[in-house]
Amino acid sequence: MKSVKALYFVIAISLLQSCGGGGSDPNPVEEVKAPEAFNLVFPENNTICTEGIDVSAETVVIEFEWERATNATSYILKAIDSESKKEYSANSNNTTTSLTLPKGMQFSWSVEAFNMDKSKVSDDQWSFYSEGITEENHSPFPASITLSDNENGTININWTGSDLDNDIVSYSVYLGKDTTSAAILENSIATSIADVHIEYNTTYYLQVISKDSKGNSSTAEKQFNFRN
């Protein structure tokens, strides 16, 4: 009798093991990957865009293009009027879309790629003038800023200015741990600052202001945090 009971016990354990939980999920949830880095294509940086379609004497339709971001399923294009700060935007599932913009204005533009709740902004923010410019008095484009870590608590700051009139006369640079940054360079023709002391694992706000001979100016902004 004991041997029969033992047999029933072994069978019961085997059934529990074959039917019970704890096995691998037959339908595992695939991890959502964030979009990877990508570049802008058109309108080209620091140029006058003359390839738009006229809508009226005041407005033009410009088609924007950027590279495909790996893992991205959709994009948001944003263009900001550098003078009024008005934002124009459009959604797209492809790598092109168009905006209707006022003529003769300077714009900065960028694209944000999405995949579910994860996103990646284009590494660059480009600038251009919409067609329709007649006067020879253009504001400078926001400077292009690059940073390098010397790995000793200092960084190098480099920037490149651009102006259609080629009349930039000075740069001023502001740096701080919040948006009320302090000047570290004022009214200089220099385009770099070496060995700027920073604290690692700290967010900084950097501004480079470009000024031209006619009193026009533009501001380039960059937020960074070097980690050790």
Side-chain angles (χ1 to χ4, degrees):
M1 182 63 104
K2 288 183 179 180
S3 61
V4 173
K5 289 182 177 180
L7 177 62
Y8 284 154
F9 179 76
V10 171
I11 293 172
I13 292 297
S14 299
L15 289 172
L16 286 173
Q17 289 177 339
S18 62
C19 299
S24 60
D25 189 344
N27 298 303
V29 177
E30 185 176 349
E31 180 186 0
V32 175
K33 296 182 180 180
E36 297 181 6
F38 62 104
N39 297 314
L40 306 179
V41 176
F42 185 85
E44 295 178 359
N45 194 28
N46 296 346
T47 60
I48 299 177
C49 178
T50 59
E51 298 183 30
I53 301 173
D54 281 346
V55 177
S56 68
E58 293 79 27
T59 57
V60 61
V61 174
I62 295 176
E63 185 163 353
F64 293 75
E65 181 182 356
W66 55 92
E67 294 179 350
R68 187 182 72 86
T70 302
N71 303 322
T73 57
S74 63
Y75 304 88
I76 294 181
L77 162 68
K78 293 181 180 179
I80 300 176
D81 185 323
S82 299
E83 183 176 320
S84 68
K85 305 305 179 185
K86 182 177 179 180
E87 180 180 293
Y88 300 80
S89 63
N91 298 325
S92 178
N93 293 326
N94 302 308
T95 57
T96 61
T97 192
S98 60
L99 292 175
T100 301
L101 302 173
K103 291 182 178 180
M105 303 301 295
Q106 184 188 122
F107 292 89
S108 60
W109 70 285
S110 61
V111 175
E112 187 169 7
F114 289 88
N115 185 4
M116 301 293 285
D117 59 343
K118 297 184 178 182
S119 66
K120 169 69 176 177
V121 179
S122 53
D123 289 341
D124 295 317
Q125 178 174 279
W126 282 6
S127 298
F128 70 96
Y129 273 97
S130 55
E131 65 177 335
I133 298 173
T134 56
E135 73 277 4
E136 293 294 322
N137 184 14
H138 311 114
S139 296
F141 290 108
S144 176
I145 303 170
T146 57
L147 306 173
S148 58
D149 182 10
N150 296 321
E151 300 183 354
N152 61 359
T154 69
I155 62 170
N156 300 326
I157 304 173
N158 295 269
W159 60 92
T160 302
S162 179
D163 189 313
L164 292 175
D165 305 321
N166 197 29
D167 64 344
I168 294 177
V169 295
S170 69
Y171 301 98
S172 296
V173 181
Y174 295 81
L175 179 67
K177 297 178 183 178
D178 54 39
T179 53
T180 57
S181 305
I184 58 174
L185 182 73
E186 289 189 287
N187 300 320
S188 171
I189 60 172
T191 57
S192 65
I193 307 176
D195 302 323
V196 178
H197 289 276
I198 62 163
E199 297 175 13
Y200 288 110
N201 309 310
T202 301
T203 298
Y204 284 89
Y205 299 86
L206 174 67
Q207 290 184 326
V208 176
I209 299 176
S210 308
K211 296 180 182 178
D212 69 14
S213 62
K214 300 179 182 65
N216 301 312
S217 66
S218 66
T219 301
E221 299 179 333
K222 194 176 190 70
Q223 181 178 324
F224 65 90
N225 186 335
F226 284 100
R227 302 184 182 278
N228 60 357

PDB file of all heavy atoms in Angstrom, residues 30-65:
ATOM      1  N   GLU A  30       9.222  42.902 -25.613  1.00  0.00           N
ATOM      2  CA  GLU A  30      10.476  43.394 -26.176  1.00  0.00           C
ATOM      3  C   GLU A  30      10.759  44.804 -25.674  1.00  0.00           C
ATOM      4  O   GLU A  30       9.870  45.659 -25.651  1.00  0.00           O
ATOM      5  CB  GLU A  30      10.400  43.402 -27.689  1.00  0.00           C
ATOM      6  CG  GLU A  30      11.701  43.780 -28.364  1.00  0.00           C
ATOM      7  CD  GLU A  30      11.621  43.675 -29.872  1.00  0.00           C
ATOM      8  OE1 GLU A  30      10.625  43.120 -30.370  1.00  0.00           O
ATOM      9  OE2 GLU A  30      12.546  44.156 -30.547  1.00  0.00           O
ATOM     10  N   GLU A  31      11.984  45.050 -25.253  1.00  0.00           N
ATOM     11  CA  GLU A  31      12.359  46.366 -24.735  1.00  0.00           C
ATOM     12  C   GLU A  31      12.282  47.414 -25.829  1.00  0.00           C
ATOM     13  O   GLU A  31      12.741  47.207 -26.948  1.00  0.00           O
ATOM     14  CB  GLU A  31      13.783  46.316 -24.182  1.00  0.00           C
ATOM     15  CG  GLU A  31      14.250  47.658 -23.625  1.00  0.00           C
ATOM     16  CD  GLU A  31      15.711  47.628 -23.213  1.00  0.00           C
ATOM     17  OE1 GLU A  31      16.339  46.569 -23.369  1.00  0.00           O
ATOM     18  OE2 GLU A  31      16.212  48.673 -22.746  1.00  0.00           O
ATOM     19  N   VAL A  32      11.679  48.563 -25.481  1.00  0.00           N
ATOM     20  CA  VAL A  32      11.606  49.668 -26.434  1.00  0.00           C
ATOM     21  C   VAL A  32      12.938  50.399 -26.428  1.00  0.00           C
ATOM     22  O   VAL A  32      13.406  50.863 -25.385  1.00  0.00           O
ATOM     23  CB  VAL A  32      10.474  50.648 -26.052  1.00  0.00           C
ATOM     24  CG1 VAL A  32      10.489  51.867 -26.978  1.00  0.00           C
ATOM     25  CG2 VAL A  32       9.128  49.947 -26.105  1.00  0.00           C
ATOM     26  N   LYS A  33      13.566  50.499 -27.573  1.00  0.00           N
ATOM     27  CA  LYS A  33      14.865  51.153 -27.682  1.00  0.00           C
ATOM     28  C   LYS A  33      14.687  52.606 -28.079  1.00  0.00           C
ATOM     29  O   LYS A  33      13.843  52.933 -28.915  1.00  0.00           O
ATOM     30  CB  LYS A  33      15.749  50.431 -28.697  1.00  0.00           C
ATOM     31  CG  LYS A  33      16.109  49.012 -28.291  1.00  0.00           C
ATOM     32  CD  LYS A  33      17.024  48.380 -29.330  1.00  0.00           C
ATOM     33  CE  LYS A  33      17.400  46.954 -28.927  1.00  0.00           C
ATOM     34  NZ  LYS A  33      18.291  46.320 -29.927  1.00  0.00           N
ATOM     35  N   ALA A  34      15.491  53.476 -27.504  1.00  0.00           N
ATOM     36  CA  ALA A  34      15.429  54.901 -27.830  1.00  0.00           C
ATOM     37  C   ALA A  34      16.005  55.138 -29.218  1.00  0.00           C
ATOM     38  O   ALA A  34      16.920  54.432 -29.656  1.00  0.00           O
ATOM     39  CB  ALA A  34      16.205  55.711 -26.802  1.00  0.00           C
ATOM     40  N   PRO A  35      15.488  56.139 -29.931  1.00  0.00           N
ATOM     41  CA  PRO A  35      16.075  56.484 -31.230  1.00  0.00           C
ATOM     42  C   PRO A  35      17.545  56.857 -31.075  1.00  0.00           C
ATOM     43  O   PRO A  35      17.956  57.409 -30.059  1.00  0.00           O
ATOM     44  CB  PRO A  35      15.246  57.690 -31.681  1.00  0.00           C
ATOM     45  CG  PRO A  35      13.945  57.539 -30.962  1.00  0.00           C
ATOM     46  CD  PRO A  35      14.298  56.946 -29.635  1.00  0.00           C
ATOM     47  N   GLU A  36      18.326  56.560 -32.107  1.00  0.00           N
ATOM     48  CA  GLU A  36      19.747  56.868 -32.074  1.00  0.00           C
ATOM     49  C   GLU A  36      20.024  58.200 -32.779  1.00  0.00           C
ATOM     50  O   GLU A  36      19.141  58.807 -33.377  1.00  0.00           O
ATOM     51  CB  GLU A  36      20.541  55.731 -32.713  1.00  0.00           C
ATOM     52  CG  GLU A  36      20.405  54.419 -31.943  1.00  0.00           C
ATOM     53  CD  GLU A  36      21.205  53.292 -32.573  1.00  0.00           C
ATOM     54  OE1 GLU A  36      21.957  53.562 -33.532  1.00  0.00           O
ATOM     55  OE2 GLU A  36      21.089  52.149 -32.094  1.00  0.00           O
ATOM     56  N   ALA A  37      21.261  58.664 -32.681  1.00  0.00           N
ATOM     57  CA  ALA A  37      21.649  59.974 -33.219  1.00  0.00           C
ATOM     58  C   ALA A  37      21.394  60.044 -34.721  1.00  0.00           C
ATOM     59  O   ALA A  37      21.522  59.053 -35.437  1.00  0.00           O
ATOM     60  CB  ALA A  37      23.114  60.247 -32.920  1.00  0.00           C
ATOM     61  N   PHE A  38      21.038  61.241 -35.184  1.00  0.00           N
ATOM     62  CA  PHE A  38      20.806  61.459 -36.604  1.00  0.00           C
ATOM     63  C   PHE A  38      21.117  62.914 -36.935  1.00  0.00           C
ATOM     64  O   PHE A  38      21.254  63.752 -36.042  1.00  0.00           O
ATOM     65  CB  PHE A  38      19.358  61.128 -36.992  1.00  0.00           C
ATOM     66  CG  PHE A  38      18.332  61.990 -36.312  1.00  0.00           C
ATOM     67  CD1 PHE A  38      17.697  63.018 -36.994  1.00  0.00           C
ATOM     68  CD2 PHE A  38      17.982  61.782 -34.983  1.00  0.00           C
ATOM     69  CE1 PHE A  38      16.746  63.811 -36.380  1.00  0.00           C
ATOM     70  CE2 PHE A  38      17.022  62.570 -34.358  1.00  0.00           C
ATOM     71  CZ  PHE A  38      16.407  63.594 -35.063  1.00  0.00           C
ATOM     72  N   ASN A  39      21.224  63.228 -38.227  1.00  0.00           N
ATOM     73  CA  ASN A  39      21.625  64.559 -38.672  1.00  0.00           C
ATOM     74  C   ASN A  39      20.534  65.237 -39.479  1.00  0.00           C
ATOM     75  O   ASN A  39      19.674  64.578 -40.076  1.00  0.00           O
ATOM     76  CB  ASN A  39      22.900  64.470 -39.520  1.00  0.00           C
ATOM     77  CG  ASN A  39      24.081  63.941 -38.726  1.00  0.00           C
ATOM     78  OD1 ASN A  39      24.335  64.362 -37.610  1.00  0.00           O
ATOM     79  ND2 ASN A  39      24.809  62.997 -39.318  1.00  0.00           N
ATOM     80  N   LEU A  40      20.607  66.557 -39.529  1.00  0.00           N
ATOM     81  CA  LEU A  40      19.723  67.346 -40.368  1.00  0.00           C
ATOM     82  C   LEU A  40      20.288  67.401 -41.785  1.00  0.00           C
ATOM     83  O   LEU A  40      21.487  67.244 -41.991  1.00  0.00           O
ATOM     84  CB  LEU A  40      19.583  68.759 -39.803  1.00  0.00           C
ATOM     85  CG  LEU A  40      19.149  68.846 -38.327  1.00  0.00           C
ATOM     86  CD1 LEU A  40      19.080  70.300 -37.883  1.00  0.00           C
ATOM     87  CD2 LEU A  40      17.810  68.147 -38.112  1.00  0.00           C
ATOM     88  N   VAL A  41      19.415  67.651 -42.768  1.00  0.00           N
ATOM     89  CA  VAL A  41      19.839  67.654 -44.168  1.00  0.00           C
ATOM     90  C   VAL A  41      19.506  68.972 -44.867  1.00  0.00           C
ATOM     91  O   VAL A  41      20.374  69.616 -45.456  1.00  0.00           O
ATOM     92  CB  VAL A  41      19.199  66.472 -44.940  1.00  0.00           C
ATOM     93  CG1 VAL A  41      19.560  66.541 -46.419  1.00  0.00           C
ATOM     94  CG2 VAL A  41      19.645  65.142 -44.343  1.00  0.00           C
ATOM     95  N   PHE A  42      18.236  69.430 -44.798  1.00  0.00           N
ATOM     96  CA  PHE A  42      17.820  70.619 -45.543  1.00  0.00           C
ATOM     97  C   PHE A  42      16.660  71.301 -44.828  1.00  0.00           C
ATOM     98  O   PHE A  42      15.783  70.606 -44.313  1.00  0.00           O
ATOM     99  CB  PHE A  42      17.390  70.234 -46.961  1.00  0.00           C
ATOM    100  CG  PHE A  42      17.053  71.403 -47.840  1.00  0.00           C
ATOM    101  CD1 PHE A  42      18.046  72.073 -48.528  1.00  0.00           C
ATOM    102  CD2 PHE A  42      15.744  71.836 -47.950  1.00  0.00           C
ATOM    103  CE1 PHE A  42      17.726  73.167 -49.327  1.00  0.00           C
ATOM    104  CE2 PHE A  42      15.423  72.922 -48.730  1.00  0.00           C
ATOM    105  CZ  PHE A  42      16.416  73.594 -49.427  1.00  0.00           C
ATOM    106  N   PRO A  43      16.659  72.657 -44.787  1.00  0.00           N
ATOM    107  CA  PRO A  43      17.568  73.639 -45.384  1.00  0.00           C
ATOM    108  C   PRO A  43      18.965  73.590 -44.756  1.00  0.00           C
ATOM    109  O   PRO A  43      19.107  73.338 -43.561  1.00  0.00           O
ATOM    110  CB  PRO A  43      16.901  74.989 -45.074  1.00  0.00           C
ATOM    111  CG  PRO A  43      15.483  74.669 -44.739  1.00  0.00           C
ATOM    112  CD  PRO A  43      15.527  73.327 -44.104  1.00  0.00           C
ATOM    113  N   GLU A  44      19.957  73.842 -45.568  1.00  0.00           N
ATOM    114  CA  GLU A  44      21.329  73.758 -45.086  1.00  0.00           C
ATOM    115  C   GLU A  44      21.619  74.855 -44.071  1.00  0.00           C
ATOM    116  O   GLU A  44      20.996  75.918 -44.075  1.00  0.00           O
ATOM    117  CB  GLU A  44      22.294  73.851 -46.261  1.00  0.00           C
ATOM    118  CG  GLU A  44      22.176  72.669 -47.220  1.00  0.00           C
ATOM    119  CD  GLU A  44      23.105  72.788 -48.405  1.00  0.00           C
ATOM    120  OE1 GLU A  44      23.828  73.810 -48.485  1.00  0.00           O
ATOM    121  OE2 GLU A  44      23.119  71.871 -49.241  1.00  0.00           O
ATOM    122  N   ASN A  45      22.580  74.572 -43.217  1.00  0.00           N
ATOM    123  CA  ASN A  45      22.900  75.483 -42.114  1.00  0.00           C
ATOM    124  C   ASN A  45      23.510  76.792 -42.601  1.00  0.00           C
ATOM    125  O   ASN A  45      24.358  76.806 -43.501  1.00  0.00           O
ATOM    126  CB  ASN A  45      23.875  74.780 -41.155  1.00  0.00           C
ATOM    127  CG  ASN A  45      23.989  75.490 -39.827  1.00  0.00           C
ATOM    128  OD1 ASN A  45      23.063  76.157 -39.378  1.00  0.00           O
ATOM    129  ND2 ASN A  45      25.132  75.346 -39.178  1.00  0.00           N
ATOM    130  N   ASN A  46      23.065  77.891 -42.002  1.00  0.00           N
ATOM    131  CA  ASN A  46      23.643  79.228 -42.244  1.00  0.00           C
ATOM    132  C   ASN A  46      23.591  79.633 -43.716  1.00  0.00           C
ATOM    133  O   ASN A  46      24.578  80.091 -44.291  1.00  0.00           O
ATOM    134  CB  ASN A  46      25.084  79.296 -41.728  1.00  0.00           C
ATOM    135  CG  ASN A  46      25.165  79.119 -40.222  1.00  0.00           C
ATOM    136  OD1 ASN A  46      24.159  79.190 -39.520  1.00  0.00           O
ATOM    137  ND2 ASN A  46      26.360  78.882 -39.712  1.00  0.00           N
ATOM    138  N   THR A  47      22.428  79.460 -44.330  1.00  0.00           N
ATOM    139  CA  THR A  47      22.243  79.825 -45.732  1.00  0.00           C
ATOM    140  C   THR A  47      20.898  80.534 -45.900  1.00  0.00           C
ATOM    141  O   THR A  47      20.073  80.571 -44.984  1.00  0.00           O
ATOM    142  CB  THR A  47      22.251  78.587 -46.645  1.00  0.00           C
ATOM    143  OG1 THR A  47      21.176  77.718 -46.254  1.00  0.00           O
ATOM    144  CG2 THR A  47      23.565  77.847 -46.566  1.00  0.00           C
ATOM    145  N   ILE A  48      20.677  81.098 -47.082  1.00  0.00           N
ATOM    146  CA  ILE A  48      19.354  81.575 -47.474  1.00  0.00           C
ATOM    147  C   ILE A  48      18.677  80.451 -48.249  1.00  0.00           C
ATOM    148  O   ILE A  48      19.213  79.968 -49.244  1.00  0.00           O
ATOM    149  CB  ILE A  48      19.434  82.829 -48.358  1.00  0.00           C
ATOM    150  CG1 ILE A  48      20.117  83.977 -47.607  1.00  0.00           C
ATOM    151  CG2 ILE A  48      18.038  83.265 -48.787  1.00  0.00           C
ATOM    152  CD1 ILE A  48      20.304  85.223 -48.457  1.00  0.00           C
ATOM    153  N   CYS A  49      17.521  80.017 -47.784  1.00  0.00           N
ATOM    154  CA  CYS A  49      16.792  78.950 -48.474  1.00  0.00           C
ATOM    155  C   CYS A  49      15.970  79.572 -49.597  1.00  0.00           C
ATOM    156  O   CYS A  49      15.040  80.342 -49.350  1.00  0.00           O
ATOM    157  CB  CYS A  49      15.875  78.214 -47.494  1.00  0.00           C
ATOM    158  SG  CYS A  49      14.889  76.928 -48.283  1.00  0.00           S
ATOM    159  N   THR A  50      16.303  79.248 -50.828  1.00  0.00           N
ATOM    160  CA  THR A  50      15.614  79.819 -51.991  1.00  0.00           C
ATOM    161  C   THR A  50      14.805  78.761 -52.741  1.00  0.00           C
ATOM    162  O   THR A  50      14.369  79.007 -53.869  1.00  0.00           O
ATOM    163  CB  THR A  50      16.636  80.440 -52.958  1.00  0.00           C
ATOM    164  OG1 THR A  50      17.563  79.424 -53.377  1.00  0.00           O
ATOM    165  CG2 THR A  50      17.404  81.578 -52.285  1.00  0.00           C
ATOM    166  N   GLU A  51      14.592  77.619 -52.123  1.00  0.00           N
ATOM    167  CA  GLU A  51      13.905  76.521 -52.806  1.00  0.00           C
ATOM    168  C   GLU A  51      12.491  76.300 -52.304  1.00  0.00           C
ATOM    169  O   GLU A  51      11.922  75.224 -52.476  1.00  0.00           O
ATOM    170  CB  GLU A  51      14.719  75.235 -52.679  1.00  0.00           C
ATOM    171  CG  GLU A  51      16.092  75.332 -53.320  1.00  0.00           C
ATOM    172  CD  GLU A  51      16.861  74.033 -53.265  1.00  0.00           C
ATOM    173  OE1 GLU A  51      16.215  72.968 -53.268  1.00  0.00           O
ATOM    174  OE2 GLU A  51      18.101  74.083 -53.211  1.00  0.00           O
ATOM    175  N   GLY A  52      11.915  77.327 -51.678  1.00  0.00           N
ATOM    176  CA  GLY A  52      10.547  77.199 -51.208  1.00  0.00           C
ATOM    177  C   GLY A  52       9.532  77.458 -52.308  1.00  0.00           C
ATOM    178  O   GLY A  52       9.867  77.882 -53.410  1.00  0.00           O
ATOM    179  N   ILE A  53       8.270  77.196 -51.996  1.00  0.00           N
ATOM    180  CA  ILE A  53       7.155  77.445 -52.911  1.00  0.00           C
ATOM    181  C   ILE A  53       6.384  78.649 -52.409  1.00  0.00           C
ATOM    182  O   ILE A  53       5.890  78.666 -51.271  1.00  0.00           O
ATOM    183  CB  ILE A  53       6.232  76.216 -53.000  1.00  0.00           C
ATOM    184  CG1 ILE A  53       7.011  74.990 -53.490  1.00  0.00           C
ATOM    185  CG2 ILE A  53       5.043  76.503 -53.908  1.00  0.00           C
ATOM    186  CD1 ILE A  53       6.206  73.709 -53.444  1.00  0.00           C
ATOM    187  N   ASP A  54       6.264  79.687 -53.232  1.00  0.00           N
ATOM    188  CA  ASP A  54       5.553  80.894 -52.838  1.00  0.00           C
ATOM    189  C   ASP A  54       4.084  80.588 -52.567  1.00  0.00           C
ATOM    190  O   ASP A  54       3.405  79.938 -53.373  1.00  0.00           O
ATOM    191  CB  ASP A  54       5.644  81.949 -53.937  1.00  0.00           C
ATOM    192  CG  ASP A  54       6.985  82.680 -53.922  1.00  0.00           C
ATOM    193  OD1 ASP A  54       7.703  82.556 -52.925  1.00  0.00           O
ATOM    194  OD2 ASP A  54       7.303  83.361 -54.913  1.00  0.00           O
ATOM    195  N   VAL A  55       3.610  81.084 -51.426  1.00  0.00           N
ATOM    196  CA  VAL A  55       2.187  81.009 -51.099  1.00  0.00           C
ATOM    197  C   VAL A  55       1.540  82.372 -51.305  1.00  0.00           C
ATOM    198  O   VAL A  55       0.434  82.492 -51.801  1.00  0.00           O
ATOM    199  CB  VAL A  55       1.984  80.537 -49.647  1.00  0.00           C
ATOM    200  CG1 VAL A  55       0.502  80.533 -49.284  1.00  0.00           C
ATOM    201  CG2 VAL A  55       2.568  79.145 -49.448  1.00  0.00           C
ATOM    202  N   SER A  56       2.294  83.408 -50.918  1.00  0.00           N
ATOM    203  CA  SER A  56       1.836  84.786 -51.078  1.00  0.00           C
ATOM    204  C   SER A  56       3.063  85.676 -51.084  1.00  0.00           C
ATOM    205  O   SER A  56       4.201  85.194 -51.071  1.00  0.00           O
ATOM    206  CB  SER A  56       0.894  85.174 -49.932  1.00  0.00           C
ATOM    207  OG  SER A  56       1.606  85.233 -48.702  1.00  0.00           O
ATOM    208  N   ALA A  57       2.842  86.984 -51.078  1.00  0.00           N
ATOM    209  CA  ALA A  57       3.966  87.917 -51.035  1.00  0.00           C
ATOM    210  C   ALA A  57       4.686  87.853 -49.702  1.00  0.00           C
ATOM    211  O   ALA A  57       5.836  88.285 -49.583  1.00  0.00           O
ATOM    212  CB  ALA A  57       3.471  89.333 -51.307  1.00  0.00           C
ATOM    213  N   GLU A  58       4.005  87.306 -48.684  1.00  0.00           N
ATOM    214  CA  GLU A  58       4.585  87.287 -47.332  1.00  0.00           C
ATOM    215  C   GLU A  58       5.020  85.910 -46.850  1.00  0.00           C
ATOM    216  O   GLU A  58       5.800  85.800 -45.904  1.00  0.00           O
ATOM    217  CB  GLU A  58       3.574  87.844 -46.315  1.00  0.00           C
ATOM    218  CG  GLU A  58       3.254  89.316 -46.456  1.00  0.00           C
ATOM    219  CD  GLU A  58       2.258  89.581 -47.581  1.00  0.00           C
ATOM    220  OE1 GLU A  58       1.457  88.663 -47.879  1.00  0.00           O
ATOM    221  OE2 GLU A  58       2.312  90.673 -48.173  1.00  0.00           O
ATOM    222  N   THR A  59       4.531  84.837 -47.468  1.00  0.00           N
ATOM    223  CA  THR A  59       4.803  83.503 -46.937  1.00  0.00           C
ATOM    224  C   THR A  59       5.325  82.555 -48.006  1.00  0.00           C
ATOM    225  O   THR A  59       5.088  82.739 -49.202  1.00  0.00           O
ATOM    226  CB  THR A  59       3.542  82.886 -46.299  1.00  0.00           C
ATOM    227  OG1 THR A  59       2.495  82.853 -47.285  1.00  0.00           O
ATOM    228  CG2 THR A  59       3.100  83.687 -45.094  1.00  0.00           C
ATOM    229  N   VAL A  60       6.029  81.522 -47.536  1.00  0.00           N
ATOM    230  CA  VAL A  60       6.619  80.530 -48.431  1.00  0.00           C
ATOM    231  C   VAL A  60       6.547  79.160 -47.752  1.00  0.00           C
ATOM    232  O   VAL A  60       6.646  79.049 -46.533  1.00  0.00           O
ATOM    233  CB  VAL A  60       8.090  80.894 -48.743  1.00  0.00           C
ATOM    234  CG1 VAL A  60       8.941  80.929 -47.482  1.00  0.00           C
ATOM    235  CG2 VAL A  60       8.692  79.936 -49.754  1.00  0.00           C
ATOM    236  N   VAL A  61       6.337  78.114 -48.539  1.00  0.00           N
ATOM    237  CA  VAL A  61       6.342  76.739 -48.029  1.00  0.00           C
ATOM    238  C   VAL A  61       7.722  76.144 -48.252  1.00  0.00           C
ATOM    239  O   VAL A  61       8.220  76.120 -49.385  1.00  0.00           O
ATOM    240  CB  VAL A  61       5.278  75.873 -48.730  1.00  0.00           C
ATOM    241  CG1 VAL A  61       5.414  74.404 -48.282  1.00  0.00           C
ATOM    242  CG2 VAL A  61       3.886  76.368 -48.401  1.00  0.00           C
ATOM    243  N   ILE A  62       8.344  75.684 -47.166  1.00  0.00           N
ATOM    244  CA  ILE A  62       9.677  75.074 -47.252  1.00  0.00           C
ATOM    245  C   ILE A  62       9.584  73.628 -46.781  1.00  0.00           C
ATOM    246  O   ILE A  62       9.003  73.338 -45.721  1.00  0.00           O
ATOM    247  CB  ILE A  62      10.693  75.845 -46.388  1.00  0.00           C
ATOM    248  CG1 ILE A  62      10.885  77.259 -46.943  1.00  0.00           C
ATOM    249  CG2 ILE A  62      12.034  75.109 -46.341  1.00  0.00           C
ATOM    250  CD1 ILE A  62      11.798  78.132 -46.117  1.00  0.00           C
ATOM    251  N   GLU A  63      10.144  72.722 -47.582  1.00  0.00           N
ATOM    252  CA  GLU A  63      10.164  71.311 -47.205  1.00  0.00           C
ATOM    253  C   GLU A  63      11.482  70.993 -46.503  1.00  0.00           C
ATOM    254  O   GLU A  63      12.552  71.229 -47.045  1.00  0.00           O
ATOM    255  CB  GLU A  63       9.981  70.407 -48.412  1.00  0.00           C
ATOM    256  CG  GLU A  63       9.888  68.937 -48.017  1.00  0.00           C
ATOM    257  CD  GLU A  63       9.297  68.058 -49.110  1.00  0.00           C
ATOM    258  OE1 GLU A  63       8.835  68.611 -50.113  1.00  0.00           O
ATOM    259  OE2 GLU A  63       9.307  66.831 -48.922  1.00  0.00           O
ATOM    260  N   PHE A  64      11.370  70.456 -45.302  1.00  0.00           N
ATOM    261  CA  PHE A  64      12.527  70.113 -44.469  1.00  0.00           C
ATOM    262  C   PHE A  64      12.845  68.630 -44.638  1.00  0.00           C
ATOM    263  O   PHE A  64      11.959  67.807 -44.846  1.00  0.00           O
ATOM    264  CB  PHE A  64      12.236  70.408 -42.998  1.00  0.00           C
ATOM    265  CG  PHE A  64      12.089  71.870 -42.681  1.00  0.00           C
ATOM    266  CD1 PHE A  64      10.934  72.563 -43.030  1.00  0.00           C
ATOM    267  CD2 PHE A  64      13.104  72.560 -42.024  1.00  0.00           C
ATOM    268  CE1 PHE A  64      10.789  73.910 -42.734  1.00  0.00           C
ATOM    269  CE2 PHE A  64      12.968  73.905 -41.725  1.00  0.00           C
ATOM    270  CZ  PHE A  64      11.813  74.587 -42.080  1.00  0.00           C
ATOM    271  N   GLU A  65      14.130  68.309 -44.494  1.00  0.00           N
ATOM    272  CA  GLU A  65      14.571  66.921 -44.627  1.00  0.00           C
ATOM    273  C   GLU A  65      15.641  66.624 -43.593  1.00  0.00           C
ATOM    274  O   GLU A  65      16.470  67.469 -43.261  1.00  0.00           O
ATOM    275  CB  GLU A  65      15.122  66.677 -46.027  1.00  0.00           C
ATOM    276  CG  GLU A  65      15.585  65.233 -46.258  1.00  0.00           C
ATOM    277  CD  GLU A  65      16.177  65.020 -47.640  1.00  0.00           C
ATOM    278  OE1 GLU A  65      16.149  65.974 -48.445  1.00  0.00           O
ATOM    279  OE2 GLU A  65      16.681  63.911 -47.903  1.00  0.00           O
TER     280      GLU A  65
END
